[in-house]
Amino acid sequence: MSEQVQQESVSVATGETLVEVNELKTYYDEGAILDSNPVKAVDGVNFEIKRGETLGLVGESGCGKTTLGRTLIQLESATSGEVLFDGTDVTELSGAELKNWRRNSQMVFQDPESSLNDRMTVGEIIREPLDVHDWNDPKERRARVRELLDVVGLQPEHYYRYPHQFSGGQRQRIGIARALALEPEFVVLDEPVSALDVSVQAQILNLLEDLQDEFGLTYLFIAHDLSVVRHICDRVAVMYLGNVMELGATEEIFQDPKNPYTHSLLSAIPEPDPTSDKERITLRGTPPSPRDPPKGCPFTTRCPMKIRPEKYQNVDPDLWVAIEVFREVLRERSRAEKTLTEQAKELLGMETRFSDIGEIRRELFGDLDVPREVEAHLDRAAEHVKNNEDAEARKVLRDEFGSICDAENPANHVVSDSGRISHCHRHLPEYTEPDEFTPYTER
Amino acid sequence: MSRWRYFAKRVLLSVPVLVFGASITFVVIRAGPLDPVSAILGPQGDPQAYNTIKRQLGLNQPLWQQYVDYMVNLFTLNLGQSWVQQPDTSVYSLVLTYAPRTIWLGFWSVLIALFIGIPLGFYAGLNPNTLSDYTASFGGIVWRAMPNFWLAVILMSVLSQSEKFFFGFDWQSWAYATNVTGPPPLDNLTSFDGFMRALKKIAPAALVLGSASMGNEMRIGRTAVLETVNSNFIETAKAKGVPPRSLVWKHIFRNALIPLVPIITGEAFILIGGSVLVETVFDISGIGYLFFQAVKNGDMPLVGSLMFIFILLVVLINIVQDFLYTIIDPRVGYEGGA
Amino acid sequence: MAQQESARVRAEEEPLLSVENLQTAFFTDKETIRAVDGVSFDIRRGETVGIVGESGSGKSVTARSIMGLVDSPGRVLDGSSIRFDGEELTDKTEEQYRGIRGGEIAMVFQDPLTSLNPVYTVGNQIKEALRLHQGLRGAAATEEAIELLEAVGIPDASRRVTEYPHEFSGGMRQRAVIAMALACDPELLICDEPTTALDVTIQAQILELLDELQEERGLAIMFITHDMGVIAEVSDRVNVMYAGEIVESAPVEELFENPRHPYTQGLLRSIPGNQPGSERLETIEGDVPTPNEPATYCRFEPRCPKAFEECTRVHPASVEVNTGVDAEDHSAACLLYPEDVSQAEAVELHEQRNSEREVSER
Amino acid sequence: MSIDPDSEELSLRERVSENPGPAMKWFAGALLLFALEAGAVVNFVTGLFGPGVELPTLLSRDVISNLGYQNPDTGVWQGTFMGLSPAYAWALRVLLIYTYAAVCAWWLWRGYLVFREHYRYADWTPRDDMIDRLRGHRWGQFGAVIVFAFVVMALFAPALGPTTVERTISNPYSYHVEFYNESGQLDNVTVGQANLGARSQGTPDQNVGPMEYDEFGRFHPFGTMPTGKDMFTFMAAGARISLFIGLVSIGVSGLIAVAFALLTAYYKGLIDLAVVIAGDSIMSLPRLLFVMLLTVVLGNHWIGEIYSGGFLLALIFAATGWPFLWRAVRGPAMQVAEQEWIDAAKSFGQRPSVTMRKHMAPYILGYLLVYASMSLGGIIIAVAHISFIPGVMIVLVVTAFNALGDGIRDAIDPQSETGEGEGAEVAAAGGGGA
């Protein structure tokens, strides 16, 4: 296809900003009839993408990365904040202006099975964007489609075939051809290879790199597979629960992660090398619900490097973990659904499975040597739980064992000369930097 | 959102349905050419009397005011009196006379559908592509295709001369002497004899009325079972060594019941409409018959009130359906907060 | 996962599970798909054997064949042998099989969301297994179920045991499925892509859990995945599958250090981030074929960069590949091997092996 | 059709003009077939608005007449087509009509094949697979055959009956029958009187069964009704009315249902809620009773005059029936709306109306066809309550519509009903006598 591809690098960013995102928030389900608690999918995000670069967006499922990508190309409307595209705030666009702008930014979707209408021929699929924007005359459109087929490594005679007749990798090529039809500057790639087998995945990644070099495209590459991101991206943004936790040059982040979350995430990737003996931080539990994110730092409920109150600096690590789990259990319980009978029992002040606190305390603290001071606070919390006052119980624990991490959302700290930012309280001068801090679990 | 909040939301949603349904009825009976005054007076009423009656009935008021009165009355359950059908009788007392027969009929036809249709469907679904499956499936399709009134006529003529068809077995004198047609005796249901007598009387009509639902439930039941059998958790259950019997009764049965809930309740309100034909053929003067007469005679308040009762019933059945869902399926209303 | 040790143990002990020439085919109107076509491997006590391959390579069907869960129109063909703890499983009646399923061999499936029955509580489903294989009922069963949930790292187990699967998060659900599998203290645990549907941090939790459980209970684990990283991390020994056949089999370190089959080599090289220094990824052109006819040729030939003429004519048999210390443990099905003889001789050896196999099957 | 990859895409018309041969041949055949029945079409269309315009038609009852009288001495029939007995004359006409219809159907199929072979660029489309699946679907084919027979009966009702509705049902006393009476004289009575003499009471001495002549020399293929009217004529007319009502009502309610399904699936939110409430309200009205009420209320309106009230009935069924269809296609519509290709269309700025029409509607239409076919059966039953058609035929036709629906569903979506297909097919082939 493109023999003249330069081998020198992935791509060279020009240094000129193409997309700038400021304090972007995208919430779902606002103003629903009975439920006014929205899903905070994207919750205040800032970054910029330079012309010609590939910005990776990584994170676990439900962290808001896909929503962010969709908001950038206006498939979702932002709740607040702005998306500047060449200086124009596209969240404000509508009608003809919006339609016109859409030529500049396209998307490649995750699932090659579902992203192509299988009642249309490949030619019709790739041609549709051209038709919508009345691109030149029909004859030239058809020629353009054939050219695109060639560009993505398919044959011109595939024009009259249907998506059914292609394999997953080929279908993804069709999706890429459609995205390129209008010669966009900016392409959002939403997990373009996650549904493909490894051997096919490599083909698509190579293609994407070639296309970027050939057409000077700017990519936002959304993925959960970190090795893919490391391979293809210039810079990476790591998302967790609607927030960007760390953002910076790819190699810098992969070699020396600053943020505790990035650190844990990277250490969790299994390496295809049985001899590697990297130390792993296994995170406890699961991410909280984006409907009800924690009050302070989004990562506070799982963070292995969470800041402790001064007086508990030297508590036994197992005990500290037990306390954290205990808080997590109470948090989890407040989210759990209560049956009618349970609610009735609570009203009458009777025992329910939620008020049974003895069992869980035995489970967590049974084998541990609990100092009297800690014990006293646990007793107070347990008393509240028995009286079905979950909120109070949680408050007691938060006041006693919580820290700045539970109270305030951290600022974005610049953590390297290249302008890398990290979203963590530990970058404040009074605390130990995350990368100098040994996680409690490792001690 | 919890299951019960979801349920509450559904209940709340039934209020506009009730209002809207009643309004449609109002538009149809009041804005249309229905003329109760002529019906009361007969064809030769003089204009003077016509206007007097019209005023008495409140039909000279502006339409919007009639509408407000109508809605307020309905929603305060002030159902008024019949004008034409049985003048000056309250709708309540008419309903109390006619409704029990229909309820008795509907109750048994639902039971027949439930206890024959669903087991047959489940059986067919558990033994797919066997002779018994084919027989049951095909039978279900044909059974569903039979028009109620036709089935009713056939059944009636067969039963009234049953000794000719069943080698001397005489339905009418069997167990309790009854006619095939006529309203069921409902005054003595507490005694065993009275109960059986009423049951025997209603059985043919209930069989006819339940027939279509029976076919439906059978087919949906079969599909539901087949779908459940192919789901992953059945494979997991097999992988932990669950024997076939408890696989069926524990794992398949309850899951297959979930898609059947709307079908079962859906049938219930088809019965409300369908009963009129069966009631006519079997001469059961039930509520369907009453409605039919009221429509023919232009008895506005009776039609409106009966319609409102029907709508109320359907809405109630819908609520029951959501309630059943909430009970059987713990996932209802859950959107995966975690 | 000390490899030296496991190699020593392998030599001494009888295998717990021994699969010999397993063939499973699906018969449809149009064609017969030979999803598993002559697969042989062993699993020893306390060992983790990984099976790796792309989608459609027959990994899952292999697992289901061992569990006796292949449904119509699929069938395990005659001539296949699955020996578990000295007993032949393919001869067992359905009822005898049921005692083994869940009791001695347990399985964990890919999708934790759909592999639990949505209308029963998690506790109920664990207790069912306890009742079936251990005869535990009532409070004793509940107590045991809670302990199992705690053992797989679910906090607040006494409350969780009364909750429904949809109230669990993905990772928790998979833990619950594992708890259910462990309910009867099985000797072999078959994990069919247990972490594919999960996020990396959760995957790490589950892998760690399986590792702990294996150590505590001396479990043998058959681990199916398409992820080379996961396989490197969990397994002692790896079988690489392609189009229904095992194309290469070796101890894990040996395989990653010294892959011999061109497919394995391609697979490892196409992993992004695995080839520092090179910008472009190596690829394997083409797609995985559907094995719908008996193999009289090499099924990888159309995609193989090293293919030569004989590859279209001779079906490669599994032969030892000479690589130093672990020589006896590393085999590949490729006409390029054995390396120490000329190509013509190697081809002849493969032909001979095939005819021997055909004779023995008759 | 092989194509040069560099050739330009042409519109269908251009493709035809480039290679007119096959298309012209097919078109000539189609014209010929149409010409045979053009008179009937004109008659029906004009008949909707008043007395129909009569044009000579080949397959009409006038050409092959089965009305006549038999000379008791010679046994020769007079007045019938070529002196055949009325039974044979009628049978000949029926045979010709069904042959004609079958040829027409076959010609349409040929047309599709011609298009596929000569004018279509793609050598395979998903539709080919659907057709293949339908061709292998015995149960669906059984349905299709019966439905075809039924539709032909409805279309050709006036020509198929041994007599006409006008003669035997509407105005029996304005027409006369000639016959030889017992004394051997040529006699002449009104049809009404003859009907009285040909009543079927179910007793051996007073019955005209299927395939029998009455004493006035009239042939009754299905016997007579208790009123003495010809059963077959009656049924054919009933088939026509119920099919008309069914098609119109399903057409209208299908249109409403699809429009709402597309809108609610695309926009969701408030529109969806509004349609749910409207639909639930209509569904909460007991349908049959409401239909009765409306029929009475609107009976005297001008709209009630069209097609003797049939049009009104069709509209009422449409107005009360769309929520059921909408419910049935709402699920598939929601599913399609979730597909990424809808997002793709949005992302390059496709207009919502085009997105709905091009990317969503084709998927819903298949399902609509399935449910339409099945509810058509329901409407035929409901209309039969109100008007007339004998029971056995209804059961057969309704079953057939269901079978056809099953067939279409399996064709458009082979995974839809696990394990269905084969099972029902065999059952139907055995039990349905196909």
Side-chain angles (χ1 to χ4, degrees), chain C residues 26-233:
Chain C
F26 289 83
F27 300 89
T28 66
D29 294 343
K30 285 187 202 144
E31 55 186 357
T32 301
I33 295 171
R34 312 173 73 89
V36 178
D37 201 5
V39 159
S40 306
F41 63 93
D42 291 346
I43 301 179
R44 289 175 162 73
R45 286 173 204 280
E47 177 184 49
T48 303
V49 170
I51 297 197
V52 69
E54 296 179 275
S55 46
S57 59
K59 305 171 301 233
S60 290
V61 181
T62 306
R64 280 167 178 72
S65 304
I66 295 170
M67 290 297 282
L69 285 177
V70 177
D71 285 327
S72 172
R75 189 155 51 81
V76 175
L77 303 185
D78 293 343
S80 310
S81 159
I82 303 167
R83 294 181 70 79
F84 178 79
D85 216 0
E87 280 178 273
E88 180 60 47
L89 296 188
T90 49
D91 301 340
K92 292 224 181 290
T93 63
E94 174 60 25
E95 197 167 335
Q96 289 169 323
Y97 227 127
R98 223 180 292 135
I100 292 172
R101 258 184 240 145
E104 305 191 26
I105 311 179
M107 188 156 170
V108 175
F109 293 86
Q110 172 170 358
D111 185 359
L113 175 63
T114 54
S115 52
L116 288 166
N117 192 331
V119 300
Y120 293 104
T121 61
V122 168
N124 182 320
Q125 296 180 59
I126 297 176
K127 282 190 275 180
E128 185 178 32
L130 289 171
R131 182 170 51 78
L132 284 169
H133 297 281
Q134 297 191 3
L136 281 181
R137 281 161 201 279
T142 311
E143 197 59 36
E144 180 68 28
I146 292 173
E147 264 171 43
L148 278 165
L149 284 182
E150 281 171 11
V152 295
I154 294 182
D156 209 5
S158 55
R159 173 175 65 90
R160 286 299 201 163
V161 83
T162 62
E163 290 191 347
Y164 290 95
H166 69 266
E167 297 173 79
F168 280 48
S169 67
M172 287 290 174
R173 245 176 246 152
Q174 197 60 299
R175 285 174 191 266
V177 173
I178 293 174
M180 199 161 79
L182 293 179
C184 311
D185 212 0
E187 292 182 70
L188 173 65
L189 185 65
I190 301 180
C191 301
D192 186 0
E193 307 239 11
T195 59
T196 306
L198 305 174
D199 279 312
V200 245
T201 62
I202 310 297
Q203 166 171 292
Q205 293 171 1
I206 297 291
L207 295 183
E208 198 171 271
L209 171 69
L210 285 172
D211 199 27
E212 278 166 21
L213 292 171
Q214 178 167 42
E215 213 156 279
E216 269 168 34
R217 300 172 183 234
L219 276 171
I221 295 181
M222 174 175 155
F223 199 102
I224 296 172
T225 180
H226 65 269
D227 186 328
M228 284 311 233
V230 173
I231 216 79
E233 191 163 320

Side-chain angles (χ1 to χ4, degrees), chain D residues 98-398:
Chain D
Y98 272 92
T99 311
Y100 172 79
V103 169
C104 285
W106 176 74
W107 198 250
L108 283 175
W109 170 244
R110 271 289 315 265
Y112 171 72
L113 292 182
V114 166
F115 164 73
R116 203 161 115 171
E117 196 180 334
H118 296 279
Y119 303 107
R120 196 175 78 185
Y121 284 130
D123 48 8
W124 178 92
T125 77
R127 222 158 275 125
D128 292 1
D129 270 10
M130 288 176 201
I131 289 172
D132 281 351
R133 281 193 290 265
L134 201 57
R135 290 177 77 177
H137 199 280
R138 295 271 165 276
W139 173 228
Q141 281 167 5
F142 153 76
V145 168
I146 304 282
V147 165
F148 175 74
F150 176 74
V151 169
V152 170
M153 186 185 209
L155 276 180
F156 291 86
L160 273 178
T163 179
T164 63
V165 175
E166 172 72 11
R167 272 177 73 96
T168 192
I169 296 167
S170 312
N171 292 311
Y173 291 96
S174 315
Y175 294 88
H176 297 268
V177 204
E178 284 182 319
F179 66 106
Y180 281 99
N181 61 15
E182 276 137 35
S183 53
Q185 301 295 313
L186 192 60
D187 205 345
N188 189 329
V189 295
T190 63
V191 174
Q193 282 167 313
N195 283 350
L196 289 178
R199 284 183 293 179
S200 292
Q201 307 286 37
T203 51
D205 53 319
Q206 181 58 271
N207 200 27
V208 180
M211 295 293 172
E212 282 179 10
Y213 288 91
D214 63 19
E215 50 192 276
F216 305 94
R218 300 182 303 173
F219 175 66
H220 300 286
F222 283 9
T224 61
M225 299 199 294
T227 53
K229 294 168 180 173
D230 180 64
M231 176 82 99
F232 188 93
T233 309
F234 191 70
M235 258 176 57
R240 187 171 237 202
I241 293 174
S242 51
L243 190 67
F244 174 85
I245 294 175
L247 286 181
V248 171
S249 67
I250 291 286
V252 174
S253 55
L255 216 63
I256 302 174
V258 166
F260 278 146
L262 290 175
L263 286 172
T264 55
Y266 190 87
Y267 290 109
K268 304 190 175 72
L270 271 181
I271 293 192
D272 188 40
L273 190 69
V275 180
V276 164
I277 290 176
D280 276 6
S281 307
I282 291 177
M283 282 165 85
S284 75
L285 305 167
R287 192 170 179 204
L288 204 63
L289 299 181
F290 194 65
V291 168
M292 277 179 190
L293 178 64
L294 277 177
T295 322
V296 171
V297 167
L298 296 174
N300 298 322
H301 197 262
W302 62 266
I303 222 169
E305 307 290 314
I306 303 178
Y307 203 65
S308 332
F311 187 64
L312 173 66
L313 210 53
L315 287 188
I316 294 175
F317 273 112
T320 53
W322 68 262
F324 295 90
L325 278 181
W326 171 69
R327 275 272 167 115
V329 294
R330 184 171 176 246
M334 291 282 185
Q335 254 173 25
V336 182
E338 290 303 310
Q339 299 290 332
E340 284 180 346
W341 71 68
I342 305 291
D343 279 335
K346 281 184 199 167
S347 78
F348 52 66
Q350 184 62 281
R351 268 175 303 163
S353 59
V354 181
T355 307
M356 283 184 237
R357 203 181 59 228
K358 198 163 157 189
H359 294 294
M360 292 166 72
Y363 288 85
I364 307 173
L365 285 180
Y367 287 96
L368 188 76
L369 213 59
V370 174
Y371 292 106
S373 171
M374 296 189 174
S375 18
L376 203 60
I379 292 187
I380 289 174
I381 293 186
V383 173
H385 287 160
I386 298 164
S387 67
F388 45 89
I389 322 183
V392 184
M393 200 181 100
I394 294 182
V395 176
L396 191 65
V397 168
V398 173

Side-chain angles (χ1 to χ4, degrees), chain A residues 70 114 117-118 128 133 146, chain D residues 5 340 343 348 350 359 363:
Chain A
R70 292 167 59 92
S114 137
N117 184 346
D118 50 26
E128 198 183 0
H133 289 273
R146 294 214 164 81
Chain D
E340 284 180 346
D343 279 335
F348 52 66
Q350 184 62 281
H359 294 294
Y363 288 85

Side-chain angles (χ1 to χ4, degrees), chain A residues 1-7 9-12 52-54 106-108 144 147-154 169-181 183-187 189 192-193 202-219 221 232, chain C residues 280:
Chain A
M1 53 193 138
S2 44
E3 296 96 42
Q4 70 273 47
V5 171
Q6 300 90 344
Q7 285 292 319
S9 76
V10 179
S11 67
V12 184
E53 79 165 343
T54 304
Q106 289 292 310
M107 186 156 178
V108 174
R144 168 90 178 133
E147 181 192 321
L148 284 164
L149 284 172
D150 182 54
V151 163
V152 298
L154 296 169
Q170 287 174 310
R171 292 174 68 120
Q172 203 56 297
R173 287 172 194 267
I174 300 170
I176 293 171
R178 173 179 58 191
L180 294 182
E183 302 180 308
E185 293 177 81
F186 177 54
V187 180
L189 304 158
V193 295
Q203 298 167 11
I204 299 293
L205 290 176
N206 285 342
L207 172 68
L208 288 171
E209 288 189 344
D210 294 345
L211 294 172
Q212 183 169 45
D213 290 343
E214 200 174 335
F215 301 112
L217 297 169
T218 306
Y219 286 153
F221 193 101
I232 202 167
Chain C
R280 285 182 71 78

Side-chain angles (χ1 to χ4, degrees), chain B residues 272-293:
Chain B
I272 295 177
S275 66
V276 59
L277 292 152
V278 177
E279 282 176 19
T280 313
V281 173
F282 284 97
D283 192 21
I284 301 160
S285 7
I287 205 150
Y289 172 81
L290 178 68
F291 180 82
F292 186 53
Q293 293 302 323

